[in-house]
Amino acid sequence: MALLARLTYRAKPLHSGFSQTRLFGNGTATLWQCSEKPAPQARFFPVFDQPMLLPGTFKNKVALITGGGTGLGKGMATTLSALGAECVIASRSLDILKETAQEISKQTGNKVHAVQCNVRDPASVKAAVDQMVNDVGLPDVVINNAAGNFICPTERLSPNAWRTITDIVLNGTANVTLDVGKRLIKAEKGAAFLAITTIYAESGSGFVVPSSSAKAGVEALCKSLAGEWGRYGMRFNVIQPGPIKTKGAFSRLDPTGEFEKTMPDRIPVGRLGTAGEIANLAAYLCSDYANWVSGAVIRMDGGEYVFMAGEFNVMRKVTKEQWDLMEGLIRKTKGS
């Protein structure tokens, strides 16, 4: 780094008052595209988010999606419904669920069921699953997407704030998985489970410590059950989305809108992701085409994680003239 100092080189701030600040989305709600222009290379990576699997792939299958009324959950429910699944969407807000269910059903022509459920409460989960079983039977697909998050210095967190996030994310996923899983075992019925986490579940991240910790726990839960419950016909996989802007997620992670402006610059693909792109991967992982995929954690972030992790990736800002100078300096060190 002394060499860079000699060149008086610095990474140019991407916005007044901000350099390359790390802020990942929590992967639970869906996109408006970034208000800033995508990076130039984004033209090489256009969005293809229409369902990629064959129509009827999920015919005669039941899919349960928590957090299904908005965001990524809504996107995944829409894709699965379009592919023939009878979807059950669950969250705390029944009004939003009913509106979403009607919207998806009108679009796809398939019935979508709205079931109120607070994943933090085992009794509420049991009641919701009872209703689902009564209405449509046990699920073939279970997507644990319900989540909560906000950005905050860890020293400002209250015990209640910590408990709220971990209860929704980790305990909520466990509540749904254990309730449904035990019923599936008793009924001798298999299913595909999918959890939506985030790329900082792997790396860790300051300022979202409850979410980071809870999401890491979710990944451990899924990998553990992939090993233990495969004998019962169950598969468990995880998607780690990168930044996908949603009203619910970004209002708590980027309330001023300042960090959003830096995002395309640190994503090698040059743009944010879309709910449809996540939904296509989710549909594949939950389909019979992925029957040999279990215990997988798949990162889908346009390359952001590896860019942020690479020690020297910031040197893409170095100009041709500066590279010429550095090459000359490096050549002089031969033999030393």
Side-chain angles (χ1 to χ4, degrees), residues 238-314:
V238 176
I239 296 176
Q240 298 177 336
I244 296 178
K245 182 175 179 180
T246 66
K247 184 176 181 180
F250 269 40
S251 64
R252 291 182 290 271
L253 290 172
D254 185 17
T256 67
E258 295 296 328
F259 292 129
E260 176 188 346
K261 298 170 184 177
T262 75
M263 287 180 179
D265 195 68
R266 67 167 183 262
I267 299 173
V269 165
R271 63 171 174 84
L272 302 185
T274 71
E277 289 173 308
I278 297 294
N280 266 324
L281 178 57
Y284 165 72
L285 290 173
C286 294
S287 75
D288 292 339
Y289 293 104
N291 276 342
W292 213 51
V293 183
S294 192
V297 179
I298 300 177
R299 189 186 309 135
M300 192 175 190
D301 68 344
E304 182 184 32
Y305 184 96
V306 292
F307 176 77
M308 299 292 285
E311 183 75 19
F312 292 97
N313 285 338
V314 71

Side-chain angles (χ1 to χ4, degrees), residues 154-317:
T154 306
E155 65 270 20
R156 293 191 180 195
L157 284 173
S158 68
N160 185 60
W162 176 276
R163 185 167 53 250
T164 297
I165 300 303
T166 54
D167 271 355
I168 296 171
V169 176
L170 179 54
N171 294 335
T173 298
N175 290 337
V176 172
T177 300
L178 294 176
D179 189 291
V180 175
K182 289 175 182 179
R183 298 182 197 225
L184 290 169
I185 292 170
K186 185 176 181 180
E188 297 185 350
K189 175 182 171 62
F193 286 75
L194 178 67
I196 307 301
T197 62
T198 175
I199 54 179
Y200 61 68
E202 182 174 344
S203 65
S205 178
F207 305 99
V208 284
V209 171
S211 171
S212 176
S213 303
K215 292 285 192 181
V218 168
E219 294 188 358
L221 171 68
C222 292
K223 289 183 286 188
S224 298
L225 289 178
E228 183 179 351
W229 281 4
R231 58 184 171 151
Y232 298 126
M234 286 178 257
R235 298 187 295 111
F236 292 83
N237 292 297
V238 176
I239 296 176
Q240 298 177 336
I244 296 178
K245 182 175 179 180
T246 66
K247 184 176 181 180
F250 269 40
S251 64
R252 291 182 290 271
L253 290 172
D254 185 17
T256 67
E258 295 296 328
F259 292 129
E260 176 188 346
K261 298 170 184 177
T262 75
M263 287 180 179
D265 195 68
R266 67 167 183 262
I267 299 173
V269 165
R271 63 171 174 84
L272 302 185
T274 71
E277 289 173 308
I278 297 294
N280 266 324
L281 178 57
Y284 165 72
L285 290 173
C286 294
S287 75
D288 292 339
Y289 293 104
N291 276 342
W292 213 51
V293 183
S294 192
V297 179
I298 300 177
R299 189 186 309 135
M300 192 175 190
D301 68 344
E304 182 184 32
Y305 184 96
V306 292
F307 176 77
M308 299 292 285
E311 183 75 19
F312 292 97
N313 285 338
V314 71
M315 295 185 75
R316 65 182 182 155
K317 298 285 187 177

Side-chain angles (χ1 to χ4, degrees), residues 4-11 314-319 322:
L4 292 184
R6 289 169 61 187
L7 291 169
T8 65
Y9 163 73
R10 293 187 308 169
V314 71
M315 295 185 75
R316 65 182 182 155
K317 298 285 187 177
V318 176
T319 66
Q322 289 170 333

